[in-house]
Amino acid sequence: MYNTATVINPKGKIVTRYRKMFPFYPYETGVTPGQDFCVFDVPKVARFGVSICYDMWFPETIRTLTTMGAEVIMHPTMSGTIDRDIELSIVRAMASVNQCYFFDVNGLDTGGCGRSIVCGPDGRILHQSEGTEEIIPLELNIGMAKRSRELGILRLGQPLKSFRDHIHSGTNLEFTNLIYLRLI
């Protein structure tokens, strides 16, 4: 059994499926972790990445999606736990560090407490719901994500570009981290 998000196009055709990589044990007992990252293109709009709930707590998952070109992260969740404020902070951090739009849509009633949030590529909150059902009509400027990646967040840091350049330089991140730990 997998915790799965299905992407369906306007014609009703299944475009792709994503299986959650990090089930929230012990609450998701019996759920098998997925293995593959999920990105898909909406022609003439943007490249999207999919992540589910607890996956966001592992920053490597969102970094991988954006390294694969995702400009928008769709992140369905069903969280009713007391750490919702922390999750909202993580969404802002992931959006800014990865210079992408981030939709964290939390369910209601049967396990979720709402408080969905949408952040822009600079980490600013574009919309935050309370504990009620809502339709969130937002117009995204995908060029803003591209521009942020080109010029930097608020014309300052370029974390995604710096990460990609570092990876493509052939540097062994594991070795770099070991040196850093020894220096501390």
Side-chain angles (χ1 to χ4, degrees):
M1 180 172 33
Y2 297 94
N3 184 336
T4 304
T6 303
V7 177
I8 302 171
N9 72 14
K11 294 181 181 179
K13 181 181 176 203
I14 293 174
V15 174
T16 188
R17 288 186 173 97
Y18 170 70
R19 293 176 171 172
K20 183 178 183 179
M21 290 186 176
F22 295 96
F24 189 45
Y25 299 129
Y27 303 100
E28 288 183 284
T29 304
V31 175
T32 303
Q35 300 295 316
D36 300 316
F37 292 96
C38 178
V39 295
F40 63 96
D41 293 311
V42 174
K44 299 180 184 176
V45 176
R47 176 165 273 197
F48 289 75
V50 181
S51 171
I52 299 174
C53 203
Y54 194 49
D55 288 344
M56 170 181 74
W57 284 76
F58 302 87
E60 299 81 2
T61 60
I62 307 305
R63 174 66 70 182
T64 300
L65 293 172
T66 55
T67 300
M68 294 170 73
E71 298 154 317
V72 180
I73 303 296
M74 302 305 295
H75 183 80
T77 188
M78 185 62 80
S79 179
T81 54
I82 62 172
D83 60 353
R84 187 65 184 149
D85 285 333
I86 298 168
E87 292 173 337
L88 298 174
S89 296
I90 293 171
V91 171
R92 291 188 72 186
M94 290 297 100
S96 61
V97 168
N98 293 290
Q99 298 170 280
C100 63
Y101 286 96
F102 201 114
F103 283 73
D104 176 75
V105 180
N106 192 20
L108 288 169
D109 298 329
T110 58
C113 64
R115 297 182 66 201
S116 298
I117 187 170
V118 180
C119 292
D122 56 7
R124 292 182 187 166
I125 298 170
L126 302 177
H127 181 79
Q128 186 167 351
S129 301
E130 294 305 319
T132 59
E133 185 175 326
E134 292 184 43
I135 294 174
I136 307 169
L138 289 175
E139 187 172 317
L140 303 184
N141 179 352
I142 299 302
M144 185 175 160
K146 292 176 182 182
R147 189 167 172 84
S148 174
R149 291 175 179 184
E150 179 185 327
L151 301 175
I153 299 169
L154 305 174
R155 295 194 180 250
L156 298 169
Q158 294 177 296
L160 188 59
K161 180 182 182 309
S162 297
F163 183 79
R164 280 195 212 135
D165 291 351
H166 188 73
I167 293 299
H168 293 306
S169 72
T171 302
N172 182 332
L173 283 178
E174 198 170 346
F175 179 70
T176 304
N177 287 336
L178 285 174
I179 291 172
Y180 177 72
L181 290 174
R182 286 186 188 139
L183 292 174
I184 292 178

